[in-house]
Amino acid sequence: MKRNYKYIAMAFLVSGMLSAQKIDINKMPTAGPTPVINIAQPKTFTLSNGMQVMVVENHKLPRVTASISMDRPPYYEGSIVGVSDIMSDQLGNGTTTMSKEKFNARVDYLGASLNLSSGGAGANTLSKYFPEILSMMADGMINPLWSAEEVENSKNRTIESLKSEEKSADAIAGNVSSALIYGKNSAMGEFQTEESVKKITLADVKNIYNKYYGPDNAYMVIVGDVKFDQVKSMVEKAFNGWKKTNVKYDAIPAAKNLTTTEIDIVDVPNAVQSVVSVNNVTDLKTNNPQYFAAKIANYILGGGGEARLFMNLREKNAFTYGAYSSLSTSKYAPNFSASSSVRNEVTDKAVMEFMNELKGITGKKVTAEELSNAKAKLKGDFIRSLEQPATIASFALSLKTQNLPSDFYTNYLKSIDKVTLDDVEKAAKTVILPGNSRIFVAGKASEISEGLEKLGYPVKYFDRFANPVAKPVAQKVSADVTVGAIADKYIAAIGGKANVDKVSSYSMNGTISMQGQTINMKKTVAKGGKEANLITMGAMTLQKDVFDGKAGYTEAQGQKTAYTAEQIAEKMQNKDVFQELGFANSASYKVAGIEKINGDDSYAVKNDDTTYYYSVKTGLKTGETSTVKTPQGEVKIPTTFSDYKEVNGVKMPFKIGVNQMGMDMTIEISSYDVNKATDADFK
């Protein structure tokens, strides 16, 4: 009873407070006055080698962050593009005074972080260890340990990464769009390939380091629990030995916008989603008077989940998981971009909606509510960012490199407040150019080109190396190619019907490496339509799917869900270990054309929500694409099969590629167990 009295008393207290303050709980609270921001101004000095140093004292916590950034224009790497990335890898491999193992162990022992790259360095440490970390930073940058073996290891890792991106629409889109905007043979438009990486030598790495890695245009920012006079002497001692490069940089050719908007398509045959980006270059830099108005215009258009692009393409039309725009005010390559990944079948509609929104924000004023919300969000983001020491460091750096007035960040919130609706309209027309843009689309040309060509824009085609190509033409299937003939060729290719008939079951054991973790996968298939899939990580079961021929279930995160009647009916359609044995006896399988899978022309055999692919040349199964229904709409999951090896007289794939939610994964098969499954495997 006493406890109830306490709650009643509290209710009266809250009620009285609300009454006294005259708060309407059904009304959105209004923002208060813009706070005054006090940002500490750095103390500065310059070393004899040209490196400029900025120090911001902050004694609230016993920590220090230090960063070095090189303000230099992009440089052209040519036939060895990628060499700077390889050089960057070497900067973490120890120094001439300390081995890699000792260097990393010492940083860990001090509880610090220290990262070196081709663009500079960064460190975070307790203030009492700052002198040693500063010394190690200088040692790593000035006295790197070069190794031909480490260069080769870095090259091999890079090449493996490039191979994994060969079918990635996102990676291809990034490379080709930059090449088309800035020119393939330019510092801004070149991209690394397997061929260019293979050419890189240790001598090339050293040459890039000696030519471009110097203090001439370097800026060091130190923020934290330090005293300026002490820091000055420490930095001078550690970095005065860093020699100038005295390099002269070539002028960056000015990128130009198109005279009229066009669509540039690159064919990615395996893509189940199209990557769409609308781009134009600008001359808007951070010191431009229109900076804040343009930033607000971009936010209203595509800055978040409440912006126009997101609300249109996701919420209204369900074309995608998200659509956004960005406005770069880079010192060397300012640009505007709006982008998303959308389902193949709605690519043309998505492009049309992108252009409608771009034309909308440049053709009429935004609303007062949109302006108010954008201001509140941008001011809130700015205020929250001040909690991080790295933010203060970036402010200090930007003041120098972007030629900003000393009170730029002190007046940041006031500058946002001053923006009017007219300012936003004028800025939008300056930086967003729907009539002079490149609409870049990386996707499955056979499914998207027809719709895109009907939108009224000129359409051009390119390969994944940004070379112009003719429009991909769909190959016609000969009339004598039937579903039964494709299935028969496949059965013959894997070992013949006699050997296939001997297989009553098989279990496939494989692993997936993801973010440093190894995931184990086991799939068991048996006659009668039985199937079991088990995914584990260590001793933990991530997911289990079982069908015993009559019923089934899915188990994940401790929750067990029985198969629906629809799922059971789908599973019972095929009772063969190799489903191709039943192709000829089912009218639901249809030949749907020829498509390229992993560069191999493959017959497409469609059945309801799944399409199976078989090599025209070898007959082997090259892939399949299934359509899965999710709360966000239908999602296509493509799978590829390769590296066939004989197991008990039947060829089986030992490498399986899967793409889920835009992420490419490779399942490496370690072994197959043939005719060893029991009923216990399907419990």
Side-chain angles (χ1 to χ4, degrees), residues 218-219 252 276 305 368 378 399 433 435 448 468 479 512 568 626 655 683:
Y219 294 84
I252 300 177
V276 177
L378 294 176
L399 290 175
L433 308 175
I448 65 176
I512 306 171
I568 292 173
S626 58
K655 184 172 287 187
K683 297 294 186 182

Side-chain angles (χ1 to χ4, degrees), residues 437-511:
S437 297
R438 286 187 185 274
I439 305 171
F440 184 81
V441 185
K444 193 173 184 177
S446 62
E447 295 185 4
I448 65 176
S449 59
E450 183 177 350
L452 291 172
E453 289 180 348
K454 292 179 180 179
L455 295 180
Y457 299 101
V459 177
K460 297 179 181 179
Y461 293 86
F462 299 85
D463 65 17
R464 66 187 183 92
F465 299 107
N467 300 311
V469 295
K471 176 183 177 181
V473 178
Q475 297 187 52
K476 294 183 179 180
V477 180
S478 174
D480 61 347
V481 176
T482 64
V483 170
I486 293 171
D488 289 344
K489 187 174 182 179
Y490 166 74
I491 295 299
I494 63 174
K497 192 171 185 303
N499 285 332
V500 169
D501 285 342
K502 295 176 183 177
V503 180
S504 61
S505 70
Y506 70 80
S507 293
M508 172 195 299
N509 304 289
T511 58

Side-chain angles (χ1 to χ4, degrees), residues 497-548:
K497 192 171 185 303
N499 285 332
V500 169
D501 285 342
K502 295 176 183 177
V503 180
S504 61
S505 70
Y506 70 80
S507 293
M508 172 195 299
N509 304 289
T511 58
I512 306 171
S513 295
M514 183 184 300
Q515 298 179 346
Q517 300 290 332
T518 298
I519 298 174
N520 300 300
M521 186 215 74
K522 181 177 182 179
K523 179 177 182 178
T524 302
V525 178
K527 286 185 177 180
K530 298 176 181 179
E531 183 176 333
N533 293 282
L534 180 64
I535 301 175
T536 61
M537 186 167 64
M540 179 171 59
T541 297
L542 301 180
Q543 184 167 323
K544 185 178 182 180
D545 281 276
V546 174
F547 182 68
D548 64 6

Side-chain angles (χ1 to χ4, degrees), residues 30 189 220 232 272 303 345 396 404 479 549 603 605 607 611 619 626 649 663:
T30 57
M220 184 177 208
K232 188 172 185 294
V272 294
E345 59 269 27
L404 301 176
Y603 292 118
V605 176
N607 174 41
T611 302
S626 58
M663 180 183 297

Side-chain angles (χ1 to χ4, degrees), residues 2-297:
K2 181 186 277 189
R3 187 177 302 163
N4 290 338
Y5 283 140
K6 182 174 71 174
Y7 289 137
I8 293 171
M10 183 61 72
F12 274 112
L13 176 61
V14 173
S15 175
M17 291 171 62
L18 292 175
S19 176
Q21 296 179 38
K22 297 182 180 180
I23 295 175
D24 184 351
I25 61 174
N26 296 311
K27 183 179 180 181
M28 180 72 73
T30 57
T34 299
V36 176
I37 299 295
N38 295 312
I39 298 176
Q41 294 297 316
K43 297 178 181 179
T44 65
F45 62 93
T46 303
L47 299 185
S48 58
N49 58 20
M51 185 171 79
Q52 298 185 48
V53 184
M54 291 158 275
V55 181
V56 178
E57 294 187 28
N58 185 333
H59 303 288
K60 291 181 179 179
L61 293 173
R63 298 203 66 86
V64 184
T65 62
S67 64
I68 295 179
S69 303
M70 298 179 188
D71 180 36
R72 63 191 176 203
Y75 49 83
Y76 182 58
E77 295 178 357
S79 63
I80 55 171
V81 60
V83 64
S84 292
D85 289 339
I86 301 299
M87 185 266 283
S88 189
D89 277 354
Q90 309 314 301
L91 294 174
N93 289 331
T95 73
T96 55
T97 64
M98 187 181 298
S99 70
K100 175 182 178 180
E101 291 73 19
K102 289 184 177 180
F103 190 93
N104 293 335
R106 186 59 184 168
V107 173
D108 289 342
Y109 176 78
L110 297 177
S113 64
L114 175 55
N115 302 296
L116 308 173
S117 71
S118 59
N124 188 305
T125 179
L126 290 171
S127 49
K128 64 181 178 179
Y129 299 134
F130 176 64
E132 183 173 356
I133 289 296
L134 181 69
S135 177
M136 293 180 70
M137 176 189 281
D139 191 26
M141 298 181 73
I142 301 171
N143 306 304
L145 182 64
W146 304 116
S147 163
E149 180 181 1
E150 288 289 350
V151 168
E152 288 303 311
N153 290 339
S154 182
K155 287 169 57 178
N156 291 336
R157 288 193 298 270
T158 301
I159 290 171
E160 284 302 311
S161 177
L162 290 173
K163 286 180 177 178
S164 71
E165 294 176 349
E166 287 179 355
K167 298 175 290 182
S168 168
D170 286 300
I172 293 170
N175 290 341
V176 179
S177 60
S178 293
L180 296 182
I181 293 170
Y182 299 105
K184 185 177 179 180
N185 297 315
S186 71
M188 292 296 300
E190 65 179 349
F191 54 87
Q192 55 189 333
T193 64
E194 185 175 343
E195 180 184 10
S196 71
V197 173
K198 284 181 176 178
K199 290 180 180 178
I200 297 170
T201 66
L202 176 59
D204 294 325
V205 171
K206 289 182 177 180
N207 179 59
I208 288 293
Y209 172 84
N210 292 327
K211 189 173 183 180
Y212 297 115
Y213 202 76
D216 311 43
N217 299 303
Y219 294 84
M220 184 177 208
V221 182
I222 299 170
V223 180
D225 185 26
V226 294
K227 293 184 177 180
F228 177 77
D229 292 339
Q230 294 176 354
V231 165
K232 188 172 185 294
S233 61
M234 284 190 290
V235 172
E236 288 174 341
K237 179 180 178 181
F239 285 93
N240 261 336
W242 195 11
K243 303 299 182 184
K244 284 187 176 182
T245 63
N246 295 313
V247 66
K248 301 295 183 182
Y249 290 91
D250 295 330
I252 300 177
K256 296 181 179 180
N257 288 310
L258 298 170
T259 55
T260 184
T261 295
E262 70 179 34
I263 298 176
D264 298 327
I265 301 175
V266 59
D267 184 23
V268 186
N270 297 332
V272 294
Q273 290 192 109
S274 299
V275 176
V276 177
S277 63
V278 186
N279 310 274
N280 63 258
V281 298
T282 76
D283 59 3
L284 184 82
K285 298 179 182 178
T286 310
N287 59 2
N288 190 300
Q290 285 191 313
Y291 171 78
F292 289 98
K295 193 175 179 71
I296 289 173

Side-chain angles (χ1 to χ4, degrees), residues 317-373:
N317 288 297
F319 291 159
T320 178
Y321 286 102
Y324 306 93
S325 64
S326 62
L327 183 64
S328 167
T329 55
S330 160
K331 180 177 179 178
Y332 300 107
N335 65 83
F336 166 81
S337 177
S339 61
S340 183
S341 293
V342 302
R343 304 194 313 277
N344 287 346
E345 59 269 27
V346 299
T347 301
D348 54 340
K349 296 182 179 67
V351 168
M352 184 170 63
E353 293 304 326
F354 263 110
M355 299 311 293
N356 285 341
E357 293 297 346
L358 267 61
K359 292 173 183 176
I361 201 164
T362 57
K364 60 182 179 181
K365 292 180 180 178
V366 301
T367 66
E369 182 181 7
E370 285 179 314
L371 178 60
S372 176
N373 290 341

